[in-house]
Amino acid sequence: MFGFNKSSAPAFHNLTPAQFAEGLRQPGAVLVDVRRPDEFAGGHLPGAVNLEVTAPDFGQRVAALDKTKPTYVYCRSGARSANAAGQLTTAGFAQVSNLLGGVLDWPEPLTTK
């Protein structure tokens, strides 16, 4: 009832911006921005797909992704993406990583393309 038998370690990994950038170099890595579309349009990491975590169809849209590929999620500060990372691991994604500090701590320029 209280989850005493569960492991206290998260099923996803929280990564620093440097670790996150390194992970994105893996072949087949999927990059997901879980912010609102207006936030995404204002600037995002190159190659990211926008799947808003608070949208009613988030679970449905996530189901279309390949659960076997390393999946990297981020948001503005890391809170929404941690929530999304938890949902992804619950949905059966094998390798999920969250960007600590979100785009606020990302050292490289964002793109609007």
Side-chain angles (χ1 to χ4, degrees):
M1 177 169 165
F2 294 103
F4 293 127
N5 294 328
K6 292 184 178 177
S7 169
S8 60
F12 61 89
H13 301 282
N14 285 308
L15 303 179
T16 65
Q19 293 168 322
F20 198 84
E22 178 75 25
L24 288 175
R25 293 188 194 105
Q26 289 182 77
V30 176
L31 179 60
V32 180
D33 183 321
V34 299
R35 299 175 300 159
R36 296 185 319 266
D38 62 308
E39 292 176 289
F40 182 82
H44 54 272
L45 275 62
V49 294
N50 186 212
L51 301 177
E52 182 185 357
V53 69
T54 58
D57 65 344
F58 179 73
Q60 215 175 339
R61 293 183 69 197
V62 159
L65 300 176
D66 186 339
K67 293 180 181 181
T68 64
K69 291 187 176 183
T71 306
Y72 292 80
V73 295
Y74 72 92
C75 64
R76 181 177 174 271
S77 67
R80 285 177 283 176
S81 54
N83 175 337
Q87 290 184 50
L88 290 170
T89 55
T90 299
F93 281 73
Q95 300 175 55
V96 180
S97 298
N98 175 47
L99 175 59
L100 287 171
V103 294
L104 291 176
D105 287 350
W106 189 250
E108 299 171 29
L110 302 177
T111 184
T112 55
K113 296 179 184 174

